[in-house]
Amino acid sequence: MLPRGRPRALGAAALLLVLILMGFFLFGGDLEYGDLPADHGGRNRSDCVPLRPLPPKCELLHVAMVCAGHNTSRDVVTLVKSMLFFRKNPLHLHLVTDAVARNILETLFHTWMVPAVRVSFYDAEELKPQVSWIPNKHYSGLYGLMKLVLPGALPPALTRVIVLDTDVTFASDIAELWALFAYFSGVILLRLDRLRQAGWEQMWKLTATEELLTLPATSLADQDIFNAVIKRHPGLVLPLPCIWNVQLSDHTLAERCYSEAADLKVIHWNSPKKLYVKNKHVEFFRNLHLTFLEYNGNLLRRELFGCPSPPPPEAEQLQRALAHLSEEDTCLEFRQQQLTVHRVHITFLPHEPPPPRPHDVTLVAQLSMDRLQMLEALCRHWPGPMSLALYLTDAEAQQFLHFVAASAVLSARQDVAYHVVYREGSLYPINQLRNVAMAQALTPYVFLSDIDLLPSYSLYDYLRASIEQLQLDSGRKAALVVPAFETLHYHFSFPNSKAELLALLDAGSLYTFRSHEWPRGYAPTDYARWREAQAPYHVQWAADYEPHVVVPRDCPRYDPRFVGFGWNRVAHIVELDAQEYELLVLPEAFTIHLPHTPSPDISRFRSSPTYRDCLQTLKDEFHQDLSRHYGAAALKYLTALQQPEAPQG
């Protein structure tokens, strides 16, 4: 029996299995260690629970979670990784989310393409009115109460579902939990059909209303209300092994559980401190969690043998395209990289969208781990919104989190959106990264820059003023060219104005960008004219021109066939010209390229004739596609394919 009076806060010594409403759902919550029935001696024995067979191999298991915000979305990913690592059954995830979490997770699962996993989303906003009347002090807010309304929110045909908190880590096959059909604090399995028949909604609301007459507010969110229902309907009580819910909050007696258990099943980080909870053995559990936090999620795209499940349409198309590749193709590596669908986790960190302004500009760029040191300087130079795609492994993504947390400059910026594109393949998917960052920009215009370019301090304000002055919002198709310069010095005094920049240029401290290695890429900007210009001026497209430009957000995307080094930005400028964007050079705008070590792709380009031959093949194919799309108008771009050298970007 449960103790009389107010239901107690749930600890970690033992799990109590309570069958409520004649089997409508099973509830498992932790009582304090001394609260177990005397005949069980207060111990967490597993022999009191009959062994149950696992569900059939291909039975679909349903799992529900409530998720809101950027940080909880990251928690969901780690939880799902731990489930996928051990699972042997198809899964259907039912996610109750706010708009932020849905946007993140919908993109993630769409690009993850894990076989035998379905995902359905439910709008948390529609459920809020059902629980907003309950005073609640729990750190999860209203979202911590939403498990109460799941029977009404989930599809009527769904009869059973495991409900998980997002802060749990699996150390076993979730099918074992499905077989137990148990509710734990943090883990629930509901018999939805019977709950609905019994009038669960009226029952919990009536109980909550009566409890709140003496209780100012819930402190454990839905757990307080579940406890109160159990108190009124004690039903059957059966101790379950705590290995299914090793809780690591500050005031539990979890050590008495895991010190005796031979096999832990689920770790529950049910403390606001999460991985930094005070526990003398926390390092052991943290390492288990970090195993999945840093685990390569690409490896979880494995088939369930013997359980045929139709792949999503995108995966099926990808499989057909890969099947048509030839092992004899010397450019096979390029072909495979072009077809790779990378996992994408947008807005990896909390992000505040900029207020809507008609001439606002987002700086768009991409980077890998070896360019993180550029971020602080970029944030100091560009006070406006940024959308950055980072090409990282799962482990590097966690290092990136620590990097941002340790930086006062980066931590203070909520208008920088970081989108993690997970590493897969041997070539850098530069244009795919740019497209991810462009797609997530929320302002009407984007500045298509690179991470190693520092904009002038006033560039953000100047670009917005120029867009308004040139009336680009009237539908004028224009690409505003921001002239680029470079320094060979790692430390130098950044110019505060065009006059100061020209003085450094004349002194030999600065150069026009790539003037020695690749003058064709930037010469059409006409730097001599820019020195004297007082107003924007037109320039004509020329072969291999690759300036950094400001364009409307809905401009053509980058061509993803260009991976690694070479012609990736050139092809985009060709596309803009083909779509009749005029090129306007801004007289007061400038960026300066900072020196850095060469990328691996540049080294391969310089050392491998095959690499350069493949780049030429991609250029030929690009032009063929232009001809098919634009007809005779594309003939002028033939000159871009007849140069003896390859471009630098």
Side-chain angles (χ1 to χ4, degrees):
M1 294 287 292
L2 290 173
R4 296 186 180 279
R6 185 188 165 198
R8 305 182 61 166
L10 300 183
L15 294 176
L16 200 68
L17 177 64
V18 183
L19 181 60
I20 302 181
L21 309 175
M22 301 184 343
F24 297 150
F25 75 97
L26 300 173
F27 177 98
D30 287 359
L31 300 178
E32 297 295 345
Y33 192 69
D35 289 335
L36 283 175
D39 56 325
H40 286 285
R43 300 183 67 82
N44 292 296
R45 296 180 52 177
S46 59
D47 55 6
C48 61
V49 182
L51 294 176
R52 305 187 182 202
L54 293 178
K57 180 178 179 180
C58 297
E59 180 178 343
L60 181 64
L61 311 186
H62 293 270
V63 180
M65 286 174 267
V66 178
C67 176
H70 301 86
N71 294 335
T72 306
S73 297
R74 293 201 310 273
D75 293 338
V76 166
V77 176
T78 307
L79 165 56
V80 170
K81 281 185 184 179
S82 70
M83 279 197 298
L84 293 176
F85 185 84
F86 295 104
R87 65 102 180 218
K88 299 179 181 64
N89 286 70
L91 298 176
H92 187 162
L93 306 181
H94 301 266
L95 305 181
V96 178
T97 62
D98 65 353
V100 168
R102 174 161 187 167
N103 193 29
I104 294 170
L105 295 174
E106 205 164 38
T107 302
L108 178 75
F109 283 109
H110 178 74
T111 54
W112 201 348
M113 296 193 300
V114 181
V117 173
R118 295 173 55 192
V119 184
S120 298
F121 290 91
Y122 306 84
D123 189 356
E125 287 298 318
E126 296 179 0
L127 303 180
K128 278 185 178 180
Q130 300 183 51
V131 295
S132 59
W133 58 276
I134 302 174
N136 179 32
K137 297 179 181 178
H138 194 262
Y139 60 86
S140 61
L142 283 180
Y143 298 100
L145 296 166
M146 287 190 178
K147 290 193 288 290
L148 293 166
V149 301
L150 282 178
L154 297 176
L158 182 59
T159 59
R160 293 188 296 169
V161 65
I162 295 174
V163 184
L164 301 174
D165 283 356
T166 58
D167 56 355
V168 302
T169 307
F170 273 83
S172 63
D173 188 350
I174 192 173
E176 298 178 40
L177 180 59
W178 184 269
L180 288 174
F181 197 59
Y183 171 92
F184 309 151
S185 70
V187 180
I188 312 174
L189 199 153
L190 300 178
R191 279 301 301 266
L192 297 171
D193 50 349
R194 298 183 186 178
L195 281 170
R196 293 169 184 135
Q197 293 167 11
W200 166 249
E201 182 179 355
Q202 293 77 12
M203 183 176 295
W204 76 257
K205 286 184 177 179
L206 176 62
T207 302
T209 300
E210 294 178 357
E211 287 291 317
L212 289 171
L213 293 175
T214 57
L215 187 67
T218 60
S219 59
L220 299 176
D222 58 356
Q223 192 65 68
D224 281 324
I225 297 172
F226 279 124
N227 286 350
V229 174
I230 291 171
K231 174 183 154 187
R232 293 165 184 257
H233 304 82
L236 301 175
V237 179
L238 174 67
L240 280 181
C242 62
I243 58 176
W244 280 105
N245 193 27
V246 179
Q247 297 192 30
L248 296 179
S249 55
D250 288 333
H251 304 296
T252 60
L253 301 174
E255 185 179 354
R256 298 192 184 183
C257 168
Y258 57 74
S259 63
E260 300 177 8
D263 184 22
L264 304 180
K265 302 291 187 182
V266 176
I267 312 303
H268 187 191
W269 302 89
N270 61 326
S271 164
K273 301 174 185 176
K274 301 306 177 188
L275 298 184
Y276 302 100
V277 67
K278 291 182 179 179
N279 181 298
K280 64 182 180 180
H281 299 115
V282 71
E283 196 66 25
F284 170 82
F285 296 104
R286 186 185 294 130
N287 287 340
L288 176 65
H289 182 78
L290 291 177
T291 298
F292 297 108
L293 193 69
E294 301 183 358
Y295 188 81
N296 183 352
N298 301 330
L299 301 179
L300 297 169
R301 288 169 166 162
R302 54 184 183 234
E303 298 283 347
L304 292 182
F305 292 113
C307 293
S309 59
E314 299 82 2
E316 196 169 5
Q317 294 170 11
L318 175 62
Q319 290 171 3
R320 286 199 300 266
L322 289 171
H324 281 94
L325 296 182
S326 170
E327 294 289 338
E328 306 301 320
D329 187 348
T330 56
C331 300
L332 178 63
E333 182 183 12
F334 285 80
R335 310 292 188 197
Q336 290 174 329
Q337 191 71 64
Q338 295 163 29
L339 292 173
T340 299
V341 177
H342 296 270
R343 278 182 300 137
V344 178
H345 189 135
I346 60 174
T347 52
F348 195 68
L349 287 172
H351 172 246
E352 289 294 332
R357 290 182 289 201
H359 309 112
D360 208 0
V361 185
T362 295
L363 187 149
V364 168
Q366 43 70 37
L367 66 153
S368 52
M369 196 70 180
D370 59 342
R371 299 289 188 263
L372 283 187
Q373 74 277 7
M374 305 285 190
L375 287 176
E376 285 195 355
L378 183 58
C379 283
R380 292 189 179 99
H381 279 249
W382 181 270
M386 288 189 273
S387 181
L388 306 176
L390 297 93
Y391 194 50
L392 305 174
T393 65
D394 293 74
E396 287 174 343
Q398 300 311 310
Q399 296 173 36
F400 166 67
L401 286 177
H402 296 310
F403 182 85
V404 173
S407 167
V409 174
L410 301 182
S411 298
R413 293 291 297 269
Q414 295 293 303
D415 56 350
V416 180
Y418 300 101
H419 316 292
V420 173
V421 178
Y422 286 102
R423 184 182 294 274
E424 186 173 3
S426 58
L427 295 169
Y428 190 73
I430 184 166
N431 279 356
Q432 295 181 44
L433 296 172
R434 286 169 170 158
N435 287 340
V436 168
M438 283 180 68
Q440 297 306 318
L442 301 176
T443 57
Y445 300 91
V446 289
F447 172 33
L448 305 180
S449 187
D450 279 323
I451 197 66
D452 46 14
L453 288 172
L454 280 186
S456 61
Y457 288 109
S458 60
L459 185 60
Y460 174 59
D461 291 333
Y462 176 63
L463 290 179
R464 289 187 296 157
S466 298
I467 290 168
E468 182 175 14
Q469 177 188 354
L470 294 168
Q471 299 181 331
L472 298 191
D473 54 352
S474 64
R476 182 179 183 183
K477 293 178 71 173
L480 307 183
V481 175
V482 178
F485 299 82
E486 66 179 327
T487 177
L488 302 181
H489 304 288
Y490 283 89
H491 301 285
F492 80 110
S493 179
F494 198 93
N496 290 306
S497 65
K498 179 178 179 177
E500 289 186 14
L501 180 139
L502 292 176
L504 292 171
L505 194 65
D506 292 338
S509 298
L510 288 178
Y511 306 91
T512 56
F513 192 40
R514 294 292 187 258
S515 57
H516 299 97
E517 298 94 342
W518 185 243
R520 299 176 58 83
Y522 299 89
T525 298
D526 195 348
Y527 286 92
R529 183 177 179 183
W530 183 82
R531 293 179 68 102
E532 309 297 331
Q534 300 294 318
Y537 59 91
H538 287 86
V539 294
Q540 297 298 316
W541 175 87
D544 299 318
Y545 192 29
E546 52 174 358
H548 300 88
V549 296
V550 177
V551 287
R553 182 180 58 190
D554 60 356
C555 75
R557 293 299 186 251
Y558 286 88
D559 192 315
R561 87 184 76 202
F562 292 102
V563 295
F565 176 78
W567 238 66
N568 44 75
R569 193 165 54 248
V570 174
H572 188 244
I573 298 299
V574 169
E575 188 72 39
L576 292 178
D577 185 71
Q579 295 198 19
E580 299 181 339
Y581 278 74
E582 56 181 322
L583 296 169
L584 293 171
V585 181
L586 297 177
E588 299 295 326
F590 63 86
T591 62
I592 298 178
H593 178 268
L594 300 182
H596 56 74
T597 55
S599 69
D601 284 296
I602 293 178
S603 300
R604 288 188 62 187
F605 168 81
R606 291 171 177 168
S607 63
S608 171
T610 301
Y611 193 109
R612 295 193 293 271
D613 290 343
C614 287
L615 177 57
Q616 185 62 46
T617 299
L618 296 180
K619 292 163 61 177
D620 293 340
E621 294 170 355
F622 172 75
H623 186 265
Q624 291 167 12
D625 289 343
L626 279 179
S627 299
R628 281 191 289 268
H629 192 74
Y630 297 106
L635 292 177
K636 71 174 184 177
Y637 305 117
L638 275 172
T639 56
L641 302 175
Q642 296 172 346
Q643 306 305 320
E645 298 179 87
Q648 296 292 311

